[in-house]
Amino acid sequence: MKLTKEMAAAELARRSLTDFVRVVRPDLSTTAFHRRYYRTLDAFAGGKIRRLIVSIPPQHGKSSGSSVLLPAYLLGIRPETKIALASYNLQLASRFNRQIQQTIDSAAYAAVFPGTRLARPGARDRHTIRTHEAFELVGQTGGLLSVGRDGTLTGNPVDVFILDDLYKNAMEAHSPLVRDNVWAWYNSVVRTRLHNRSQELIVFTRWHEDDLIGRIARHERIVPLEEDPPETPPDEETWYGLNFEAIKRTPPTRLDPRLPGEALWPERHSPALLDRKRRFDPLMFEAMYQGCPSPQ
């Protein structure tokens, strides 16, 4: 059988998240930064990274990668995976859920992963769940459950837990009560749903030095991720951490080879624009755009 261009693209899409994005979202802008970001998420999907923390500035495509494209890709290559996706409220988490379902429903996705499919919208099938908050794959054991911060997951074991922005805004992030509640929820709900082989992905825009990432750093080791991860994951107590600065200040690495002073996505957020934001509120800029919060 002759291999067509479409068949070759589908085969590549089954092998890497970056190629998957090219097929299912050809309209999506993928700069060099996005490809490096997707390569890291791809390593997570392949099990090379078990616990990953990524901090990215606002409006840089963070959630499209971590909370829409990654779950859809994961359910294609590992359809038995039970995924939980949490955000600061159920409304946002459910919006991600709907976008994942739209991706899986697409013809482009079916060409790549024909064995991963959802029940028809509105179909009455007591064996397969499909709502805005949860869905199960037809004929497979995997699926995805969305939950807002403070939501429950009683009785639901989780293979992959994705936490995307657990603070709605600066007011919440600067509230000691909210930060304590997030920490208590993480320990009493998230951690209790995980098993020996579970994976965790935390993708945040930083707001405060005492946010969830800051508290985890005080209790467990976070290893800076500067190059492609090794074939053997680190011990279960270790996190990999990757911080994409809006304006590069740290030395170049394999995963972020920019020179100091270069913007992360200059086509969308130029150095001049970022500098104006920095001048208006230096502390906010350091936290949200540089991933380096400090006490006020």
Side-chain angles (χ1 to χ4, degrees):
M1 183 176 64
K2 184 179 179 180
L3 186 66
T4 66
K5 182 179 179 181
E6 291 75 16
M7 293 169 61
E11 180 59 31
L12 289 174
R14 286 187 281 270
R15 299 182 183 184
S16 84
L17 179 61
T18 301
D19 289 303
F20 171 78
V21 173
R22 289 194 183 104
V23 171
V24 301
R25 288 295 307 274
D27 60 310
L28 200 63
S29 174
T30 53
T31 66
F33 144 66
H34 292 101
R35 291 191 292 273
R36 292 191 293 271
Y37 175 38
Y38 296 156
R39 194 164 74 231
T40 304
L41 295 179
D42 196 26
F44 178 85
K48 294 181 180 179
I49 300 177
R50 184 173 170 227
R51 308 173 84 194
L52 175 64
I53 293 173
V54 185
S55 54
I56 297 179
Q59 299 300 310
H60 278 71
K62 163 180 61 66
S63 295
S64 294
S66 68
S67 304
V68 179
L69 296 167
L70 174 65
Y73 179 69
L74 259 172
L75 291 172
I77 62 174
R78 294 159 49 185
E80 75 285 355
T81 306
K82 295 177 174 62
I83 303 174
L85 195 160
S87 192
Y88 59 78
N89 65 24
L90 181 58
Q91 180 180 6
L92 179 58
S94 296
R95 188 176 76 185
F96 293 145
N97 195 316
R98 292 193 298 273
Q99 292 172 344
I100 296 166
Q101 292 185 37
Q102 290 167 2
T103 301
I104 295 176
D105 279 335
S106 69
Y109 186 93
V112 178
F113 296 117
T116 298
R117 60 188 183 89
L118 304 174
R120 297 189 312 275
R124 295 179 177 273
D125 185 347
R126 61 189 178 88
H127 300 294
T128 305
I129 296 172
R130 181 171 183 177
T131 69
H132 291 328
E133 298 176 9
F135 66 78
E136 297 170 339
L137 301 180
V138 175
Q140 305 284 356
T141 58
L144 187 142
L145 174 65
S146 298
V147 62
R149 187 189 71 207
D150 298 333
T152 61
L153 289 167
T154 304
N156 289 283
V158 176
D159 301 317
V160 174
F161 217 126
I162 300 172
L163 304 176
D164 185 339
D165 278 338
L166 295 184
Y167 308 94
K168 182 177 181 180
N169 50 34
M171 183 179 296
E172 284 199 352
H174 284 82
S175 165
L177 178 61
V178 172
R179 295 198 306 273
D180 286 346
N181 287 341
V182 168
W183 182 243
W185 177 80
Y186 174 71
N187 283 287
S188 64
V189 175
V190 176
R191 286 287 180 99
T192 60
R193 298 297 96 201
L194 305 177
H195 53 77
N196 287 342
R197 296 182 302 278
S198 293
Q199 294 175 271
E200 292 180 79
L201 171 61
I202 298 177
V203 185
F204 271 22
T205 292
R206 299 295 305 271
W207 291 92
H208 195 279
E209 75 276 4
D210 187 44
D211 59 15
L212 180 62
I213 294 176
R215 293 202 182 189
I216 287 175
R218 295 204 300 269
H219 290 82
E220 295 178 323
R221 188 166 68 110
I222 301 178
V223 176
L225 190 60
E226 298 180 343
E227 57 186 21
D228 293 331
E231 291 295 328
T232 303
D235 64 86
E236 62 182 30
E237 295 295 326
T238 300
W239 292 82
Y240 275 128
L242 179 59
N243 176 40
F244 284 109
E245 303 161 297
I247 298 178
K248 184 68 171 173
R249 289 182 186 163
T250 55
T253 66
R254 179 177 173 82
L255 283 177
D256 191 355
R258 291 176 295 155
L259 298 176
E262 292 185 341
L264 185 61
W265 192 1
E267 299 87 352
R268 184 69 63 88
H269 305 276
S270 68
L273 173 64
L274 293 171
D275 188 59
R276 289 197 297 272
K277 293 180 178 181
R278 180 191 59 79
R279 293 199 306 269
F280 268 81
D281 192 333
L283 286 176
M284 179 277 293
F285 186 84
E286 287 298 312
M288 297 181 65
Y289 288 85
Q290 297 298 102
C292 187
S294 59
Q296 295 212 18

